[in-house]
Amino acid sequence: MNVLYIALPIAIAMGATALFACIRCIRSGQFDDLETPAVRMLLDDEDSVRRD
Amino acid sequence: MSALIDGRDSEELSDETTGELIGPGRGTDRSVPCDHCGLPAPAPADGQLAFCCNGCRGAYELIHHWGLGDYYALRDGEAAAIDERAGCFDDLDRPDLLGRSAPTPIESGDGQRWLKTRLSVSGIHCAACLWLLEKAPTRLEGWHRSAVQMHDRTIEIVFDPGRIRLSQIAQVLARLGYTVTPLMDSVDADGESDQESQRLLVDIAIAGFCAANAMWLAVALYAGDFTGIAAEHASVFRVAGVLLGCVAVIFPGRVFFRGAMASLKTRTPHMDLPVALGLSAGLLGSLYGLLDASREVYFDSIAALVFFLLVGRWLQMRQQRRAGDEVAGLIQMAPLAANRLDDRGRTERIRVSELRSGDQVVVAPGESVSVDGVVVAGQSLIDRSLLTGESQPVEVKVDDCVEAGTDNLQAPITVRATSVGEQTRFAALRRSVRDAASSRTPVVQLANRVGGGFVIAVLALAILTGVIWWWRDPSRVIDQVVALLIVACPCALALATPLAIGVAIGRLASQRVLVRSGECLERLVRPGTIFFDKTGTLTEGRMRVTAWDGDETLVAVAAAIESDVRHPIASAVVAYSEQQRRTHPELAVEDVQQIAGVGVVASVPGVGTVAVGNAGMLRGGLDPAWQASVQRILQDGASPVYLVVDEDVRAVLGVSDRVRRDAAATVAWFQQAGWRVGMLSGDHQSTVDRVAEAVGIPSAAALGQLLPDQKLDAIRGARADGAVVMVGDGMNDAAALAAADVGIALRGGVEASLAAAPVIIGDAKLSKVIELAKASRSTRVVILRNFAVSIAYNVLAITLAMTGWITPLIAAILMPISSLSVILLSLTKPEVTQSDSSAANSPEHLRPELAR
């Protein structure tokens, strides 16, 4: 059962990696505007022939 | 030649797009929602589209011309009403006047030099606005890209300066109902709040990481209690868990200790205090428990507590930021540039921030005054409604005072600045809006208080349980303490309020009542004081021609004369002619002269010298026949306006701001329900009294001639006797809306008041205020029911756990049942009943199909 001594740090380290990735995303401003992306994904990209 | 203005001819000359011609209908009372903005509009002939004004018609036609008609299908509310007064945007072409919005050059793909700029934009409501704003560049030559950020209401525009000017883009956007202005040099740079939010998010991420990992360690330990676990492994888990708990409390949790210290220093109870107590008790208990394998550790609960409290705090901060900062950003109505007059009499266009007191500023008609000051030359009419709520423009002449934020309507005036920038009354109003909006008590506080107290109570009970079982049966101590800790999950308690409010908000939203802050519902339960604004709330907020006695064929002539005059009565006449389909665009009008405070005179070839104005236009007495119609108009509460051709009275018009049809019924409902109903208005007391009488408000409670800060005082004064509700729409209401316990803004009002109010009535129907009050009562019932259920559950379960009737396993099964029962109870709550009046008023069946 001593695998626990390896598995536990690995699990924590994996979590910590994700945590650092998350913190980097926050610092780069990805979470500053939480409204527009949620709305924008509803809009189609049908773009389109110019009508003049 | 009078055939020129004969009814038949003018009908034939009328604009083709207005569709089928109808006679001068008497049924002008019938109104349907405007197909663009949803405000009441005169009912059109069958199958035609209804528009409240030409601006909306223009926007509708432009959108369809671009082939972007999907906008109307996408949107979830109505578009912003078009401000027909949208003025001139030439300032946008001068980078030196733009400040933070000055365009920066960027390289396009094929080596051309494009410009990029960020502007703030007002009028964005929903996904459809975003869609329209981001699709518009594909339809306009030279405008390459636009990207909207909804949270701070800004738009980034990339354009080719060689092919289009920024002012042209702004013009197009104004036709769609979006006004762009350069970003303000705000006192606190906008990056600050973003950074604060980022710091909090990082804390949440760390706390979440600790909580999640502590949780699985705890699961392993609980499982180990059943299946057996090597003592060596158990202690590894315990050490790791306590370490995670320490990290959560020390790093992200430090804000609570800071708050608790501050609260101790100032000796004011604060929600952070019990939280910090609970956290330190849990942490110390865990560290102590670590010494002995048989003792309990609480690391998972403290880490989770930190996480959830921080999430709550972040949500609250977001809401406050919306309420406070956004308001300040939206009140960008003060102009950013002004014409300064130098010593040699030349004018120079400079940024308002460069103005000093003592400077002389020339304010052109149609421009906003940018400083508080004294008029030194010229005379004009000033629209002060933004600041004082007066519905009628005020005449100013030399030596009169004017304030920043008011609109000059008629002629250029020169103003000597007495105070500028942040010293103006307008800036003070803006500050009070911001303060009032951000000082609102947050709903999260309750959850925090309950959370902190709950932690202490549970820890105390856990210790008590441990002590009791130590005496009775030491082998079962751990089992019972664990069962208690699991079963005493505060989920149901925490869910009781937000869930019920969430359901009610959802149901109200489907009725176009948007509730942005849940505590409003709680505050509307018990009758208190409700104040209505007058202009635009109890009344329709725009002047209308309500009577036209005399020669109807002159409607087109009157409209032609008034078409370039910026005055509410002029707009009313023009709107009336459009509504009657008696427009006459080709009519030649010469020598238009505005006589301040009286009216307009012009000569119309083929008709003569035509004057439209008040009694000041009349030379000599009035025929008894006309006297009768003037009497009738005055009895209706309207003001008489005379149409004079060659000194001969040919028609008398009644002009008034009509009382909304549902106003009296709404006031009566609230009075019956035990509320004190009052009116707060900036308008003249006589007008206020007339409206009060019409809607049934006692004249003692109808206060007129109030300045915005006096409105605030009235609201604060009424606080002593229960909740204060303010219903309003004007900019001068914004501070009052934010300061009231519940601010209700009617859609169609000024953007700033919409942002300041936690409740918005989307279709501007006053009767929806009743729906809101009813919904709050039924929500109250549901909340109490939820509390009763979850408290009963917790008391029962904790008793069972303490007395040893349940094992940890059964506790784990019971725990989610309480949450589920609360969820089910909330969802099965009675519908918010639709009142008969609003069903009958529903214009849905009148609405013509959008056949395109």
Side-chain angles (χ1 to χ4, degrees):
Chain A
M1 267 286 265
N2 284 341
V3 69
L4 200 62
Y5 296 115
I6 304 165
L8 182 75
I10 288 180
I12 300 272
M14 280 165 65
T17 318
L19 174 66
F20 279 114
C22 178
I23 290 176
R24 272 199 61 173
C25 292
I26 294 170
R27 295 241 161 98
S28 70
Q30 282 189 34
F31 293 86
D32 288 352
D33 183 4
L34 296 175
E35 286 167 52
T36 324
V39 164
R40 191 173 282 137
M41 61 169 267
L42 299 172
L43 311 176
D44 299 330
D45 284 338
E46 35 78 43
D47 223 346
S48 98
V49 202
R50 213 173 246 258
R51 327 182 178 189
D52 281 322
Chain B
M1 271 311 277
S2 71
L4 183 69
I5 50 151
D6 179 83
R8 184 164 300 281
D9 279 2
S10 67
E11 276 176 5
E12 278 163 12
L13 283 166
S14 71
D15 192 351
E16 286 298 323
T17 57
T18 56
E20 208 175 315
L21 301 163
I22 57 167
R26 289 277 169 254
T28 50
D29 274 356
R30 204 160 66 94
S31 69
V32 296
C34 168
D35 272 312
H36 180 73
C37 71
L39 292 177
D46 290 336
Q48 300 294 317
L49 298 167
F51 294 103
C52 64
C53 61
N54 266 352
C56 286
R57 180 188 301 281
Y60 188 90
E61 280 163 6
L62 179 63
I63 289 169
H64 273 286
H65 174 71
W66 279 351
L68 296 179
D70 284 352
Y71 166 76
Y72 291 99
L74 264 173
R75 65 181 183 175
D76 52 8
E78 290 100 353
I82 308 295
D83 187 359
E84 284 187 274
R85 303 182 311 160
C88 150
F89 294 99
D90 290 346
D91 287 347
L92 289 175
D93 294 331
R94 300 252 320 257
D96 52 318
L97 296 180
L98 292 186
R100 286 203 295 138
S101 288
T104 49
I106 58 162
E107 285 289 314
S108 70
D110 46 357
Q112 284 173 316
R113 202 181 66 96
W114 290 351
L115 291 179
K116 185 172 88 170
T117 182
R118 177 164 286 282
L119 301 164
S120 74
V121 50
S122 67
I124 300 184
H125 297 286
C126 61
C129 295
L130 182 90
W131 183 82
L132 189 60
L133 285 172
E134 297 199 345
K135 276 280 184 290
T138 61
R139 306 293 194 270
L140 210 61
E141 197 73 19
W143 180 9
H144 292 293
R145 259 201 317 276
S146 62
V148 177
Q149 274 197 31
M150 287 186 78
H151 79 294
D152 56 0
R153 303 282 190 267
T154 59
I155 180 170
E156 189 176 84
I157 290 175
V158 175
F159 64 102
D160 183 348
R163 286 195 289 173
I164 197 166
R165 279 177 290 123
L166 196 53
S167 58
Q168 290 170 325
I169 294 176
Q171 207 89 51
V172 171
L173 289 178
R175 278 178 63 194
L176 294 175
Y178 306 101
T179 314
V180 291
T181 42
L183 299 175
M184 285 211 296
D185 309 297
S186 49
V187 189
D188 47 24
D190 67 336
E192 203 162 284
S193 59
D194 271 351
Q195 269 177 15
E196 200 188 325
S197 152
Q198 282 184 13
R199 270 199 299 272
L200 198 49
L201 276 174
V202 168
D203 280 349
I204 289 173
I206 296 172
F209 163 79
C210 293
N213 283 291
M215 213 81 89
W216 69 256
L217 288 171
V219 168
L221 279 174
Y222 289 145
D225 284 341
F226 294 112
T227 59
I229 184 169
E232 183 191 359
H233 296 148
S235 69
V236 170
F237 284 143
R238 285 157 66 97
V239 170
V242 171
L243 276 179
L244 286 168
C246 288
V247 171
V249 172
I250 292 167
F251 292 102
R254 67 188 184 283
V255 285
F256 300 109
F257 290 100
R258 215 182 289 144
M261 285 302 289
S263 123
L264 280 181
K265 266 184 208 155
T266 56
R267 291 173 193 281
T268 45
H270 188 264
M271 56 171 180
D272 280 348
L273 194 59
V275 172
L277 259 179
L279 286 180
S280 28
L283 193 65
L284 292 177
S286 301
L287 287 172
Y288 180 67
L290 212 51
L291 300 174
D292 184 342
S294 64
R295 290 203 194 99
E296 206 39 56
V297 288
Y298 319 102
F299 50 85
D300 54 329
S301 12
I302 55 176
L305 188 68
V306 170
F307 175 66
F308 286 117
L309 289 174
L310 284 177
V311 169
R313 188 168 281 219
W314 180 75
L315 288 174
Q316 169 193 342
M317 195 186 84
R318 245 185 85 181
Q319 200 155 15
Q320 275 184 356
R321 214 171 95 183
R322 272 192 190 174
D325 292 359
E326 209 176 77
V327 173
L330 282 169
I331 313 176
Q332 295 217 338
M333 292 156 187
L336 283 161
N339 290 314
R340 183 173 61 186
L341 197 65
D342 65 12
D343 304 336
R344 278 164 289 177
R346 283 183 314 197
T347 58
E348 181 194 10
R349 193 105 180 126
I350 59 159
R351 285 170 61 73
V352 167
S353 53
E354 291 168 32
L355 284 174
R356 296 289 164 260
S357 77
D359 283 351
Q360 299 209 344
V361 180
V362 179
V363 186
E367 232 184 13
S368 297
V369 182
S370 49
V371 293
D372 284 1
V374 180
V375 179
V376 290
Q379 66 170 19
S380 179
L381 280 178
I382 295 278
D383 177 1
R384 303 173 75 212
S385 59
L386 194 66
L387 220 50
T388 62
E390 286 161 271
S391 58
Q392 301 283 340
V394 182
E395 211 178 322
V396 293
K397 49 189 188 307
V398 174
D399 286 342
D400 281 348
C401 289
V402 290
E403 292 94 1
T406 55
D407 286 338
N408 181 13
L409 296 181
Q410 208 170 47
I413 50 172
T414 308
V415 177
R416 196 184 65 243
T418 51
S419 52
V420 294
E422 288 299 303
Q423 274 84 51
T424 59
R425 272 185 56 197
F426 183 70
L429 175 64
R430 201 159 60 199
R431 272 196 303 275
S432 66
V433 171
R434 179 199 283 249
D435 293 349
S438 60
S439 70
R440 219 181 283 141
T441 7
V443 73
V444 188
Q445 281 190 1
L446 179 76
N448 281 356
R449 230 175 20 239
V450 171
F454 200 83
V455 166
I456 294 176
V458 168
L459 286 178
L461 285 174
I463 292 167
L464 188 67
T465 314
V467 170
I468 292 171
W469 283 93
W470 187 257
W471 287 105
R472 288 179 61 181
D473 182 0
S475 68
R476 288 181 65 188
V477 168
I478 295 173
D479 266 11
Q480 293 319 315
V481 171
V482 169
L484 178 86
L485 286 173
I486 295 176
V487 86
C489 164
C491 297
L493 209 57
L495 275 173
T497 314
L499 202 67
I501 289 177
V503 170
I505 288 177
R507 295 218 165 114
L508 282 169
S510 66
Q511 294 190 41
R512 294 253 169 92
V513 180
L514 307 177
V515 181
R516 281 200 281 198
S517 130
E519 72 226 77
C520 298
L521 288 173
E522 297 173 57
R523 289 179 183 155
L524 278 166
V525 174
R526 256 177 274 284
T529 313
I530 182 164
F531 287 118
F532 291 94
D533 174 42
K534 185 185 75 71
T535 316
T537 304
L538 289 174
T539 69
E540 288 175 352
R542 84 170 82 173
M543 286 291 186
R544 279 173 198 270
V545 175
T546 49
W548 183 291
D549 278 356
D551 194 349
E552 297 242 2
T553 56
L554 288 170
V555 173
V557 180
I561 295 170
E562 298 273 30
S563 58
D564 288 327
V565 180
R566 294 167 63 96
H567 188 284
I569 289 179
S571 316
V573 171
V574 174
Y576 181 72
S577 81
E578 276 160 12
Q579 189 186 325
Q580 299 284 324
R581 306 291 194 273
R582 286 177 179 275
T583 52
H584 202 324
E586 276 105 75
L587 198 67
V589 177
E590 291 160 7
D591 305 329
V592 180
Q593 269 187 318
Q594 296 184 38
I595 306 170
V598 178
V600 190
V601 186
S603 71
V604 182
V607 183
T609 309
V610 183
V612 181
N614 60 17
M617 282 294 176
L618 302 174
R619 306 265 159 76
L622 200 60
D623 272 17
W626 291 124
Q627 288 283 11
S629 30
V630 169
Q631 280 307 320
R632 206 168 50 244
I633 286 165
L634 286 173
Q635 265 167 17
D636 286 350
S639 326
V641 172
Y642 304 90
L643 192 144
V644 185
V645 179
D646 293 332
E647 308 208 354
D648 183 18
V649 177
R650 298 281 291 273
V652 183
L653 299 64
V655 179
S656 74
D657 185 8
R658 279 194 306 199
V659 172
R660 279 179 200 266
R661 274 184 299 168
D662 47 2
T666 307
V667 168
W669 190 91
F670 274 97
Q671 282 169 339
Q672 264 169 22
W675 289 72
R676 281 180 302 279
V677 183
M679 190 187 338
L680 301 178
S681 175
D683 220 330
H684 278 283
Q685 190 66 45
S686 58
T687 326
V688 171
D689 286 342
R690 184 177 64 72
V691 174
E693 199 194 328
V695 300
I697 294 176
S699 61
L703 307 174
Q705 284 159 319
L706 296 180
L707 298 173
D709 25 337
Q710 287 174 316
K711 283 193 177 188
L712 266 180
D713 290 343
I715 281 169
R716 294 202 174 116
R719 274 261 173 82
D721 329 302
V724 180
V725 180
M726 173 80 201
V727 189
D729 80 317
M731 160 71 198
N732 59 321
D733 296 330
L737 284 173
D741 294 314
V742 181
I744 301 173
L746 292 184
R747 168 73 217 308
V750 180
E751 189 88 21
S753 68
L754 297 188
V759 181
I760 298 170
I761 295 186
D763 50 7
K765 280 207 197 95
L766 207 52
S767 55
K768 291 288 171 73
V769 182
I770 303 176
E771 300 304 312
L772 185 72
K774 284 183 183 165
S776 89
R777 278 192 204 164
S778 64
T779 309
R780 181 75 182 174
V781 173
V782 177
I783 290 175
L784 290 178
R785 209 162 61 188
N786 285 352
F787 262 124
V789 167
S790 59
I791 287 174
Y793 165 85
N794 266 314
V795 168
L796 186 72
I798 288 175
T799 321
L800 288 177
M802 285 180 71
T803 49
W805 284 94
I806 46 177
T807 62
L809 186 67
I810 295 175
I813 297 168
L814 281 179
M815 197 258 289
I817 290 180
S818 66
S819 310
L820 278 177
S821 59
V822 165
I823 291 172
L824 285 176
L825 274 177
S826 302
L827 291 177
T828 54
K829 88 185 199 49
E831 286 274 338
V832 175
T833 46
Q834 185 127 18
S835 83
D836 299 332
S837 68
S838 74
N841 286 347
S842 166
E844 260 11 273
H845 61 285
L846 295 173
R847 201 183 174 99
E849 286 300 309
L850 295 182
R852 246 163 266 198

